[in-house]
């Protein structure tokens, strides 16, 4: 890297850490500010599948393909679909697919291990960022100010960098998910339901999801439609109260499925938010965004982390080029266009899984994928 920009990345999630790695490989001067006190401060969440042209490509360009393959779980790519009566309608073994799963914690650790010591400043919750007329930017970290040539907001859904570029904020998607964590050994009924990857049970505006993670863990989600004002009391309710409300909401469902709503397995209530599809901003020298900070969408496209990693690849190229901020403007245009397509898919996915029409649209979608991509099929698919 010849231009030696001083780059600050706010947020040490997959997108921010990948950008730091790619810039350092070119000799870049980069600092990551992360609000977590240390890498193990909080569980990083569930399993992610990395796609060949985006997530896997980024790992390859970062020189981390072997580490990814060592931690990835290609055997966990299967899909099962049930109706609300507990009838298994679709069961596909995905072991030959090309979207291996990896635990989010494992992915973050691979990226952290690849950075120069001291790159990540833990315990740095950035609140104040001040663009200067020189197009340099001051970052205030716990009362101390440092100056950078470029600040990248990789700080996720509630980015503190994004408001400096646009007044657009995430909007509630009308759906709230309650998250659960199980052990394959301690929750044998969940282990039997989930099959070789993940399962969806779909009914009238409701869904139950469970997905294999590494180390014998399974993560589950109960999703239902509710107004934003109704979601807040759920977030303030104790776990046994949340599970009682869920049991009422899923009262008409088969007991084999409602066994997933287990009070001892409760993790959190998560209302889903998204930025408007196709939103953007006028480029401003010294400040840009990547990943969820730029294009938060519901998880129903399965693209979020893949886009964050692809953004990091493209932004690293732009920051390392000799074409000044114009290269970053080009990055922003291409990144936002790519994200808008994925956001359309995420919105369509959410509205198909949580619809008054139940399981039919979801089943059609999976059967179309089988037909289009020649998935290996099981008797249930055909
Ligand atoms: C329930 C759920 C399931 C999902 N499933 C999938 C899936 O299967 N596949 C998929 O591709 N995507 C999935 N996603 C989306 C995916 O998790 C995100 O798109 C991805 O993590 C975005 O990465 P990121 O680096 O942009 O942001 P994040 O992962 O959100 O990282 C942001 C980082 O910034 C830090 N931070 C925030 N504010 C500050 C601050 N002020 N100062 C310093 N640091 C700060 C945070 O601590 C965090 O470490 C899912 C999301 C959810 C909620």
């Amino acid at each position: 890297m010849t231009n030696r920009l001083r780059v600050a990345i706010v947020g040490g999630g997959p997108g921010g850490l990948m950008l730091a790695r790619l810039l350092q490989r070119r000799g870049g001067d980069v600092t990551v500010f992360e609000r977590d006190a240390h890498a193990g401060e909080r569980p990083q969440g569930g399993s992610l599948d990395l796609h060949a042209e985006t997530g896997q490509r980024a790992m390859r360009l970062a020189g981390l393909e072997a580490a990814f393959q060592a931690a990835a779980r290609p055997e966990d790519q299967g899909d099962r679909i049930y109706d609300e009566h507990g009838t298994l309608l679709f069961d596909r073994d995905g072991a030959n697919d090309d979207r291996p799963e990896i635990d989010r914690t494992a992915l973050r650790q691979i990226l952290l291990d690849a950075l120069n010591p001291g790159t990540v400043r833990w315990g740095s919750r950035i609140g104040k960022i001040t663009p200067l007329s020189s197009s340099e930017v001051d970052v205030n970290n716990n009362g101390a100010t440092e100056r950078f040539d470029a600040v990248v907001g990789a700080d996720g859904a509630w980015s503190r960098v994004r408001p400096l570029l646009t007044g657009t904020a995430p909007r509630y998607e009308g759906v709230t998910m309650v998250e659960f964590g199980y052990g394959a050994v301690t929750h044998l009924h969940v282990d039997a339901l989930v099959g070789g990857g993940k399962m969806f049970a779909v009914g009238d505006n409701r869904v139950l999801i469970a997905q294999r993670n590494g180390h014998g863990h399974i993560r589950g989600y109960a999703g239902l439609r509710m107004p934003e004002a109704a979601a807040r009391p759920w977030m303030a309710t104790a776990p046994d109260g949340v599970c009682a409300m869920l049991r009422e909401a899923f009262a008409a469902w088969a007991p084999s499925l409602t066994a997933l709503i287990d009070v001892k397995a409760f993790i959190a209530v998560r209302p889903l938010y998204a930025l408007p599809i196709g939103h953007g901003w006028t480029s401003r020298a010294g400040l840009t965004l990547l990943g969820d900070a730029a294009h938060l969408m519901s998880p129903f496209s399965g693209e979020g982390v893949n886009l964050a990693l692809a953004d990091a690849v493209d932004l690293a190229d732009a920051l390392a080029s000799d074409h000044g901020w114009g290269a970053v403007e080009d990055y922003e245009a291409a990144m936002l266009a790519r994200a808008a397509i994925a956001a359309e898919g995420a919105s369509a996915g959410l509205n198909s899984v949580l619809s008054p029409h139940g399981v039919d649209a979801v089943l059609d979608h999976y059967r179309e994928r089988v037909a289009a991509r020649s998935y290996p099929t099981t008797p249930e698919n055909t």
Side-chain angles (χ1 to χ4, degrees):
M1 200 157 145
T2 51
N3 55 30
R4 293 296 295 168
L5 291 178
R6 295 160 300 170
V7 179
I9 299 169
V10 182
L17 296 176
M18 175 59 79
L19 177 62
R21 163 69 177 174
L22 293 166
L23 291 175
Q24 280 188 345
R25 286 197 102 194
R26 295 164 144 131
D29 177 351
V30 53
T31 302
V32 178
F33 295 101
E34 168 55 49
R35 71 179 169 193
D36 288 352
H38 52 83
E41 186 189 272
R42 63 186 166 95
Q44 290 296 305
S47 188
L48 302 163
D49 59 318
L50 295 200
H51 303 176
E53 294 307 315
T54 46
Q56 288 180 49
R57 175 170 180 263
M59 295 304 277
R60 196 165 56 247
L61 293 172
L64 300 173
E65 192 174 20
F68 168 67
Q69 283 172 356
R73 292 176 287 104
E75 67 277 15
D76 284 349
Q77 299 178 80
D79 295 298
R80 281 187 173 182
I81 310 285
Y82 297 84
D83 65 14
E84 64 201 85
H85 310 297
T87 312
L88 180 61
L89 302 170
F90 180 92
D91 185 5
R92 188 182 64 79
D93 175 346
N96 295 326
D97 293 0
D98 189 20
R99 294 181 167 188
E101 297 283 338
I102 185 167
D103 282 3
R104 188 188 297 257
T105 304
L107 177 63
R108 195 193 208 194
Q109 199 56 52
I110 290 169
L111 292 165
L112 284 171
D113 289 346
L115 296 177
N116 297 338
T119 303
V120 179
R121 306 257 193 94
W122 298 102
S124 301
R125 179 190 287 271
I126 301 303
K128 191 162 179 225
I129 297 157
T130 313
L132 307 173
S133 53
S134 59
S135 91
E136 293 171 303
V137 185
D138 279 352
V139 174
N140 187 292
N141 175 23
N142 296 323
T145 297
E146 288 178 69
R147 190 157 296 177
F148 295 91
D149 300 303
V151 172
V152 179
D155 47 346
W158 304 106
S159 172
R160 300 303 291 257
V161 182
R162 186 173 55 229
L164 296 166
L165 292 166
T166 169
T168 306
R171 298 174 191 161
Y172 179 59
E173 290 278 87
V175 170
T176 289
M177 310 286 278
V178 181
E179 191 173 352
F180 297 90
Y182 319 95
V185 174
T186 50
H187 295 80
L188 291 173
H189 61 284
V190 180
D191 186 56
L193 273 177
V194 79
K198 65 177 178 301
M199 55 84 44
F200 280 68
V202 183
D204 174 14
N205 277 320
R206 291 164 180 75
V207 64
L208 294 173
I209 303 170
Q211 181 174 31
R212 283 195 193 284
N213 287 210
H215 310 290
H217 295 298
I218 299 172
R219 203 160 277 253
Y221 305 90
L224 61 167
R225 289 197 176 270
M226 66 175 80
E228 188 173 20
R232 288 201 200 97
W234 279 64
M235 294 172 79
T237 302
D240 53 352
V242 171
C243 292
M245 292 193 284
L246 275 181
R247 276 195 289 273
E248 196 179 324
F250 286 85
W253 285 43
S256 61
L257 296 172
T258 53
L260 288 164
I261 306 164
D262 177 351
V263 67
K264 292 180 289 299
F266 172 88
I267 295 181
V269 175
R270 300 193 192 284
L272 297 183
Y273 287 84
L275 284 160
I277 297 169
H279 91 105
W281 59 85
T282 303
S283 196
R284 180 173 186 179
L287 289 170
T288 192
L289 305 173
L290 64 68
D292 279 8
H295 44 64
L296 179 69
M297 61 189 74
S298 90
F300 283 88
S301 69
E303 295 283 357
V305 80
N306 288 288
L307 291 174
L309 295 174
D311 294 351
V313 168
D314 296 345
L315 181 53
D317 287 345
L319 289 169
S321 82
D322 292 323
H323 301 301
W325 201 256
V328 177
E329 277 189 62
D330 292 345
Y331 149 78
E332 288 171 339
M335 177 263 292
L336 288 167
R338 174 173 59 204
I341 296 167
E344 294 276 8
S347 173
L350 181 138
N351 288 321
S352 138
V353 170
L354 286 129
S355 88
H357 311 299
V359 74
D360 290 346
V362 179
L363 203 52
D364 287 348
H365 171 71
Y366 273 82
R367 286 182 172 148
E368 278 163 21
R369 282 175 65 188
V370 168
R373 298 180 52 179
S374 306
Y375 280 144
T377 54
T378 62
E380 287 86 351
N381 294 355
T382 52

Coordinates of all heavy atoms in Angstrom, one line a residue, residues 10-16 33-36 42 44 47-49 51 101 104 108 124-127 154-160 177 179 211 221 270 272 290-293 297 299 302-308, ligand 1:
V10 N -14.4 1.2 13.0 CA -15.2 1.2 14.2 C -16.0 -0.1 14.1 O -16.9 -0.2 13.3 CB -16.1 2.4 14.3 CG1 -16.9 2.3 15.6 CG2 -15.3 3.7 14.3
G11 N -15.7 -1.1 15.0 CA -16.5 -2.4 15.0 C -15.6 -3.5 14.6 O -15.1 -3.5 13.5
G12 N -15.4 -4.5 15.5 CA -14.6 -5.7 15.3 C -15.5 -6.9 15.1 O -15.3 -7.9 15.7
G13 N -16.5 -6.8 14.2 CA -17.3 -7.9 13.7 C -16.6 -8.5 12.5 O -15.4 -8.1 12.2
P14 N -17.2 -9.5 11.8 CA -16.6 -10.1 10.7 C -16.1 -9.1 9.6 O -15.0 -9.2 9.1 CB -17.6 -11.1 10.2 CG -18.8 -11.0 11.0 CD -18.5 -10.1 12.2
G15 N -17.0 -8.1 9.3 CA -16.7 -7.2 8.3 C -15.5 -6.3 8.6 O -14.5 -6.1 7.8
G16 N -15.5 -5.7 9.8 CA -14.4 -4.8 10.2 C -13.1 -5.6 10.3 O -12.0 -5.1 9.9
F33 N -11.5 -0.3 16.6 CA -12.1 0.1 17.9 C -13.3 -0.8 18.1 O -14.2 -0.8 17.3 CB -12.5 1.5 17.9 CG -11.4 2.5 17.8 CD1 -11.1 3.2 16.6 CD2 -10.6 2.8 18.9 CE1 -10.1 4.1 16.5 CE2 -9.6 3.7 18.8 CZ -9.3 4.3 17.6
E34 N -13.2 -1.6 19.1 CA -14.3 -2.6 19.4 C -14.8 -2.4 20.8 O -14.0 -2.3 21.8 CB -13.8 -4.0 19.2 CG -14.7 -5.1 19.8 CD -16.2 -5.1 19.2 OE1 -16.4 -5.0 18.0 OE2 -17.1 -5.1 20.1
R35 N -16.2 -2.3 21.0 CA -16.7 -2.0 22.3 C -16.6 -3.1 23.3 O -16.6 -2.9 24.5 CB -18.2 -1.5 22.1 CG -19.1 -2.6 21.8 CD -20.6 -2.2 21.6 NE -21.3 -3.3 21.0 CZ -22.5 -3.2 20.5 NH1 -23.1 -2.1 20.5 NH2 -23.1 -4.3 20.0
D36 N -16.6 -4.4 22.8 CA -16.5 -5.5 23.7 C -15.2 -5.4 24.5 O -14.1 -4.9 23.9 CB -16.4 -6.8 22.9 CG -17.8 -7.2 22.4 OD1 -18.8 -6.6 22.7 OD2 -17.8 -8.2 21.6
R42 N -18.9 -11.8 25.1 CA -20.3 -12.2 24.9 C -20.3 -13.3 23.9 O -19.5 -13.3 23.0 CB -21.2 -11.0 24.6 CG -20.8 -10.4 23.3 CD -21.6 -9.2 22.9 NE -20.9 -8.5 21.8 CZ -21.2 -8.7 20.5 NH1 -22.2 -9.5 20.2 NH2 -20.5 -8.1 19.6
Q44 N -21.0 -14.9 20.5 CA -21.1 -14.1 19.2 C -22.3 -14.5 18.4 O -22.6 -14.0 17.3 CB -19.8 -14.4 18.4 CG -18.6 -13.7 19.0 CD -18.8 -12.2 19.0 OE1 -19.0 -11.6 18.0 NE2 -18.7 -11.6 20.2
S47 N -24.7 -20.0 13.8 CA -23.9 -20.5 12.7 C -24.1 -19.7 11.4 O -25.2 -19.2 11.2 CB -24.3 -22.0 12.4 OG -23.4 -22.6 11.5
L48 N -23.1 -19.5 10.6 CA -23.2 -18.8 9.4 C -22.7 -19.6 8.2 O -21.7 -20.4 8.4 CB -22.2 -17.5 9.5 CG -22.5 -16.6 10.6 CD1 -21.3 -15.7 10.8 CD2 -23.8 -15.7 10.3
D49 N -23.3 -19.5 7.1 CA -22.8 -20.3 5.9 C -22.1 -19.3 5.0 O -22.6 -18.2 4.7 CB -23.9 -21.0 5.2 CG -25.0 -20.2 4.7 OD1 -25.4 -19.3 5.4 OD2 -25.5 -20.4 3.5
H51 N -20.7 -18.2 1.4 CA -20.9 -18.5 0.0 C -19.7 -18.4 -0.8 O -18.8 -17.6 -0.5 CB -22.0 -17.5 -0.5 CG -23.3 -17.6 0.3 ND1 -24.4 -16.7 0.0 CD2 -23.7 -18.4 1.3 CE1 -25.4 -17.0 0.9 NE2 -25.0 -18.0 1.7
E101 N -21.0 -24.3 6.8 CA -21.3 -23.6 8.0 C -20.0 -23.3 8.8 O -19.1 -24.2 8.9 CB -22.3 -24.3 8.8 CG -23.7 -24.5 8.1 CD -24.5 -23.3 8.1 OE1 -24.3 -22.4 9.0 OE2 -25.4 -23.2 7.3
R104 N -20.0 -18.4 14.4 CA -19.6 -17.0 14.3 C -18.3 -16.8 15.2 O -17.4 -16.0 14.9 CB -20.7 -16.1 14.8 CG -20.5 -14.7 14.6 CD -21.6 -13.9 15.3 NE -22.8 -14.2 14.6 CZ -23.4 -13.4 13.7 NH1 -22.9 -12.3 13.5 NH2 -24.6 -13.7 13.2
R108 N -14.8 -15.3 13.9 CA -14.2 -14.1 14.5 C -12.7 -14.4 15.0 O -11.8 -13.6 14.8 CB -15.0 -13.6 15.6 CG -14.7 -12.1 16.1 CD -15.3 -11.8 17.4 NE -15.6 -10.3 17.5 CZ -15.9 -9.8 18.6 NH1 -16.0 -10.5 19.7 NH2 -16.1 -8.5 18.7
S124 N -13.5 -0.3 23.5 CA -13.6 1.1 22.9 C -14.9 1.3 22.3 O -15.1 1.0 21.1 CB -12.5 1.2 21.8 OG -11.2 1.0 22.4
R125 N -15.9 1.7 23.1 CA -17.2 2.1 22.6 C -17.2 3.5 22.0 O -17.1 4.4 22.8 CB -18.3 1.9 23.7 CG -19.7 2.3 23.2 CD -20.6 2.4 24.4 NE -20.9 1.0 24.9 CZ -21.9 0.3 24.5 NH1 -22.7 0.7 23.5 NH2 -22.1 -0.9 25.0
I126 N -17.1 3.6 20.7 CA -16.9 4.9 20.1 C -18.2 5.7 20.1 O -19.3 5.1 19.6 CB -16.4 4.8 18.7 CG1 -15.0 4.1 18.7 CG2 -16.2 6.2 18.0 CD1 -13.9 4.7 19.5
G127 N -18.2 6.9 20.6 CA -19.5 7.7 20.7 C -19.4 8.9 19.8 O -20.3 9.3 19.2
A154 N -18.0 -0.1 10.7 CA -18.3 -1.5 10.6 C -19.0 -1.9 11.9 O -18.7 -3.0 12.4 CB -17.0 -2.3 10.4
D155 N -19.8 -1.0 12.4 CA -20.3 -1.2 13.8 C -21.8 -1.6 13.8 O -22.5 -1.3 14.7 CB -20.1 0.1 14.6 CG -20.5 1.4 13.9 OD1 -20.7 1.3 12.6 OD2 -20.6 2.4 14.5
G156 N -22.2 -2.3 12.7 CA -23.4 -3.1 12.8 C -24.7 -2.2 12.7 O -24.7 -1.1 12.3
A157 N -25.8 -2.8 13.2 CA -27.1 -2.3 13.0 C -27.3 -0.9 13.5 O -27.9 -0.1 12.9 CB -28.1 -3.2 13.8
W158 N -26.7 -0.6 14.7 CA -27.0 0.7 15.3 C -25.7 1.5 15.2 O -25.2 2.2 16.2 CB -27.5 0.5 16.7 CG -28.7 -0.3 16.7 CD1 -28.8 -1.6 17.1 CD2 -30.0 0.1 16.2 NE1 -30.1 -2.1 16.8 CE2 -30.8 -1.1 16.3 CE3 -30.5 1.2 15.6 CZ2 -32.2 -1.1 15.8 CZ3 -31.8 1.2 15.2 CH2 -32.7 0.1 15.3
S159 N -25.1 1.6 14.0 CA -23.9 2.3 13.7 C -23.8 3.7 14.3 O -24.8 4.5 14.1 CB -23.6 2.3 12.2 OG -22.5 3.1 11.9
R160 N -22.7 4.1 14.9 CA -22.5 5.5 15.3 C -21.9 6.3 14.1 O -21.8 7.5 14.2 CB -21.6 5.6 16.5 CG -22.1 4.8 17.7 CD -23.5 5.3 18.1 NE -23.5 6.7 18.7 CZ -23.5 7.0 20.0 NH1 -23.7 6.0 20.8 NH2 -23.5 8.2 20.4
M177 N -38.0 -12.3 16.9 CA -37.6 -13.7 17.1 C -37.1 -13.9 18.6 O -36.5 -13.0 19.2 CB -36.3 -14.0 16.2 CG -36.4 -13.6 14.8 SD -37.5 -14.7 13.8 CE -36.3 -16.0 13.5
E179 N -34.8 -16.3 20.8 CA -33.7 -17.2 20.5 C -33.4 -18.2 21.7 O -33.6 -17.8 22.9 CB -32.4 -16.3 20.4 CG -31.2 -17.1 19.8 CD -30.1 -16.2 19.5 OE1 -30.2 -14.9 19.6 OE2 -29.0 -16.7 19.2
Q211 N -31.1 -24.9 14.3 CA -29.9 -25.0 13.4 C -28.8 -25.6 14.2 O -28.5 -25.1 15.3 CB -29.6 -23.7 12.8 CG -28.4 -23.8 11.8 CD -28.1 -22.6 11.1 OE1 -28.3 -21.5 11.6 NE2 -27.5 -22.7 9.9
Y221 N -34.9 -20.6 17.1 CA -35.6 -19.3 17.0 C -37.1 -19.6 16.9 O -37.5 -20.4 16.1 CB -35.2 -18.5 15.8 CG -33.7 -18.3 15.8 CD1 -32.9 -19.2 15.1 CD2 -33.1 -17.2 16.4 CE1 -31.5 -19.0 15.0 CE2 -31.7 -17.0 16.3 CZ -30.9 -17.9 15.6 OH -29.6 -17.8 15.6
R270 N -35.3 -10.9 20.1 CA -34.7 -10.1 19.1 C -35.7 -9.6 18.1 O -36.0 -10.3 17.1 CB -33.6 -10.9 18.4 CG -32.5 -11.4 19.3 CD -31.3 -11.9 18.5 NE -30.4 -12.6 19.3 CZ -29.5 -12.1 20.2 NH1 -29.5 -10.8 20.3 NH2 -28.7 -12.9 20.9
L272 N -36.6 -7.8 14.7 CA -35.8 -7.7 13.5 C -36.0 -6.3 12.9 O -37.1 -5.8 12.7 CB -36.2 -8.7 12.5 CG -36.0 -10.2 12.9 CD1 -36.4 -11.1 11.7 CD2 -34.6 -10.4 13.3
L290 N -19.5 -0.3 5.9 CA -19.6 -1.6 5.3 C -20.5 -2.5 6.2 O -20.8 -2.2 7.3 CB -18.2 -2.3 5.1 CG -17.3 -2.6 6.3 CD1 -17.9 -3.7 7.2 CD2 -15.9 -3.0 5.8
G291 N -20.9 -3.6 5.6 CA -21.7 -4.6 6.3 C -23.0 -4.1 6.8 O -23.7 -3.2 6.2
D292 N -23.5 -4.6 8.0 CA -24.8 -4.2 8.5 C -24.9 -2.7 8.7 O -26.0 -2.2 8.7 CB -25.0 -4.9 9.8 CG -25.5 -6.4 9.7 OD1 -25.5 -6.8 8.5 OD2 -25.9 -7.0 10.7
A293 N -23.8 -2.0 9.0 CA -23.9 -0.6 9.2 C -24.4 0.1 7.9 O -25.1 1.1 8.0 CB -22.5 0.0 9.6
M297 N -30.3 -5.9 7.0 CA -31.5 -6.5 6.4 C -31.8 -7.7 7.3 O -31.0 -8.1 8.2 CB -31.2 -7.0 5.0 CG -30.1 -8.0 4.8 SD -29.7 -8.3 3.1 CE -28.8 -6.8 2.7
P299 N -32.4 -11.5 8.6 CA -31.5 -12.7 8.3 C -32.1 -13.7 7.3 O -31.4 -14.7 7.0 CB -31.3 -13.3 9.6 CG -32.4 -12.9 10.5 CD -32.9 -11.5 10.0
G302 N -29.9 -14.9 4.4 CA -28.6 -15.7 4.6 C -27.4 -15.0 4.0 O -26.4 -15.6 3.8
E303 N -27.5 -13.7 3.7 CA -26.5 -13.0 3.0 C -25.7 -12.0 3.8 O -24.6 -11.6 3.4 CB -27.0 -12.2 1.8 CG -27.7 -13.0 0.7 CD -26.6 -13.6 -0.2 OE1 -25.4 -13.4 0.0 OE2 -27.1 -14.4 -1.1
G304 N -26.1 -11.7 5.1 CA -25.6 -10.6 5.8 C -24.1 -10.7 6.0 O -23.3 -9.8 5.7
V305 N -23.6 -11.8 6.5 CA -22.1 -11.9 6.7 C -21.4 -12.0 5.4 O -20.2 -11.5 5.3 CB -21.8 -13.1 7.7 CG1 -21.8 -14.4 7.0 CG2 -20.5 -12.8 8.4
N306 N -22.0 -12.6 4.5 CA -21.3 -12.7 3.1 C -21.1 -11.4 2.5 O -20.1 -11.1 1.9 CB -22.1 -13.7 2.2 CG -22.0 -15.1 2.7 OD1 -21.0 -15.7 2.5 ND2 -23.0 -15.6 3.3
L307 N -22.1 -10.5 2.6 CA -22.0 -9.2 2.1 C -21.0 -8.4 2.9 O -20.2 -7.7 2.3 CB -23.4 -8.5 2.2 CG -24.5 -9.0 1.3 CD1 -25.8 -8.2 1.6 CD2 -24.1 -8.7 -0.2
A308 N -21.0 -8.6 4.2 CA -20.0 -7.8 5.0 C -18.6 -8.2 4.6 O -17.7 -7.3 4.5 CB -20.2 -8.1 6.5
Ligands
LIG1 C1 -30.6 -14.0 14.5 C2 -29.6 -13.7 13.3 C3 -29.3 -14.7 12.5 C4 -28.4 -14.4 11.4 N1 -28.1 -15.4 10.5 C5 -27.3 -15.2 9.5 C6 -26.9 -16.2 8.6 O1 -27.3 -17.4 8.7 N2 -26.1 -15.9 7.5 C7 -25.7 -14.6 7.3 O2 -25.0 -14.4 6.4 N3 -26.0 -13.6 8.2 C8 -26.8 -13.9 9.2 N4 -27.1 -12.9 10.1 C9 -26.6 -11.5 9.8 C10 -25.1 -11.4 10.2 O3 -25.0 -11.7 11.5 C11 -24.7 -9.9 10.0 O4 -25.0 -9.5 8.7 C12 -23.1 -9.8 10.1 O5 -22.7 -10.2 11.4 C13 -22.7 -8.4 9.8 O6 -21.3 -8.2 10.1 P1 -20.8 -6.8 10.5 O7 -19.3 -7.0 10.7 O8 -21.2 -5.8 9.5 O9 -21.5 -6.3 11.8 P2 -21.6 -7.0 13.3 O10 -21.4 -8.5 13.2 O11 -22.9 -6.5 13.9 O12 -20.4 -6.4 14.1 C14 -20.4 -5.1 14.6 C15 -19.3 -5.0 15.6 O13 -19.3 -3.6 16.0 C16 -19.2 -3.5 17.4 N5 -19.7 -2.1 17.8 C17 -21.0 -1.7 17.7 N6 -21.1 -0.4 18.1 C18 -19.8 0.0 18.4 C19 -19.3 1.2 18.9 N7 -20.1 2.3 19.1 N8 -18.0 1.3 19.1 C20 -17.2 0.2 18.9 N9 -17.7 -1.0 18.4 C21 -19.0 -1.1 18.2 C22 -20.0 -4.7 17.9 O14 -19.7 -5.0 19.3 C23 -19.7 -5.7 16.9 O15 -18.5 -6.5 17.3 C24 -27.9 -13.1 11.2 C25 -28.3 -12.1 12.1 C26 -29.2 -12.4 13.1 C27 -29.6 -11.2 14.0

